[in-house]
């Protein structure tokens, strides 16, 4: 009799026990730090470094790293490690929007609804809808042929997102 291959499914942050949340936090922080030591990465590349069963906790942990000032959003869904120093300004970034851009560029090119994206990313639908509205407002995504489904506005931008952060130049700009 053939054995069924057991698939590992991620669980949302809210469904994890305190012990599981602590384990997921440690594993995700370690994976993100290790990846960012090598250079900037997109949100979707960072998510791919995380064990599958912990991907539901990824947005929460990345958001906490962003707010702590350990990680900085460089725009275009790219994140970089911040050299240690006292935080001088509020760190801004939208992990939800960055993950949506990654998923629409890589996994759901034909488009996806808010509910489908929430299922893929383990983020509440209300947060997904708010991010979709913001992304549509700035002209990064548009409604696909099917009402309520969104896709990337530009194929060129989707290609840039799929290529990730490798090969891009992040200049150190200093004011004289």
């Amino acid at each position: 009799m053939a054995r069924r291959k057991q698939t590992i499914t991620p669980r949302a942050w809210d469904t994890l026990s305190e012990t599981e949340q602590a384990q997921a936090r440690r594993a995700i922080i370690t994976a993100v730090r290790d990846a960012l030591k090598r250079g900037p990465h997109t949100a979707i590349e960072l998510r791919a470094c995380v064990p599958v069963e912990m991907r539901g906790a990824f947005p929460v942990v990345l958001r906490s790293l962003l707010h702590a000032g350990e990680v900085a959003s460089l725009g275009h869904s790219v994140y970089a490690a911040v050299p240690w120093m006292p935080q001088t300004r509020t760190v801004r970034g939208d992990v939800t929007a960055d993950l949506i851009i990654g998923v629409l560029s890589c996994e759901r090119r034909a488009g996806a609804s808010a509910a489908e994206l929430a299922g893929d990313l383990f983020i509440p639908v209300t947060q997904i809808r708010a991010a979709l509205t913001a992304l549509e407002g700035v002209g990064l995504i548009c409604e696909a042929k099917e009402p309520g489904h969104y896709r990337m506005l530009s194929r060129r931008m989707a290609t840039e997102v799929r290529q990730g952060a490798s090969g891009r130049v992040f200049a150190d700009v200093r004011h004289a």
Side-chain angles (χ1 to χ4, degrees):
M1 196 173 0
R3 285 189 159 176
R4 278 187 163 175
K5 183 178 180 183
Q6 188 176 18
T7 58
I8 299 171
T9 56
R11 293 178 17 220
W13 178 261
D14 298 342
T15 63
L16 300 174
S17 69
E18 284 185 36
T19 305
E20 291 171 322
Q21 285 179 352
Q23 290 172 340
R25 183 180 302 280
R26 278 191 302 274
I28 292 168
I29 287 173
T30 301
V32 168
R33 283 178 180 161
D34 289 346
L36 293 180
K37 280 180 188 174
R38 295 186 301 271
H41 285 72
T42 63
I44 211 75
E45 289 172 330
L46 291 173
R47 183 175 177 254
C49 296
V50 173
V52 174
E53 65 274 7
M54 295 182 185
R55 288 189 182 166
F58 177 76
V60 174
V61 176
L62 184 59
R63 195 172 294 116
S64 70
L65 288 169
L66 185 64
H67 289 295
E70 187 172 338
V71 171
S73 174
L74 303 179
H76 304 290
S77 299
V78 176
Y79 289 82
V82 175
W84 188 89
M85 62 180 277
Q87 188 173 332
T88 56
R89 66 181 175 87
T90 306
V91 178
R92 293 194 179 116
D94 189 347
V95 173
T96 302
D98 291 342
L99 288 170
I100 288 171
I101 287 171
V103 168
L104 291 178
S105 297
C106 301
E107 299 169 17
R108 292 188 174 262
R109 295 182 194 178
S113 68
E116 291 169 338
L117 290 167
D120 288 349
L121 298 172
F122 297 93
I123 298 174
V125 176
T126 54
Q127 284 182 11
I128 296 288
R129 284 193 181 115
L132 287 171
T133 302
L135 288 169
E136 188 174 25
V138 295
L140 294 176
I141 64 169
C142 63
E143 210 168 16
K145 292 179 183 177
E146 191 175 339
H149 283 67
Y150 293 88
R151 64 173 178 79
M152 293 295 293
L153 185 67
S154 160
R155 286 184 183 184
R156 184 177 157 270
M157 177 153 193
T159 302
E160 289 286 331
V161 171
R162 281 193 302 276
Q163 289 174 348
S166 63
R168 295 188 192 179
V169 176
F170 296 93
D172 181 14
V173 180
R174 296 171 196 240
H175 298 285

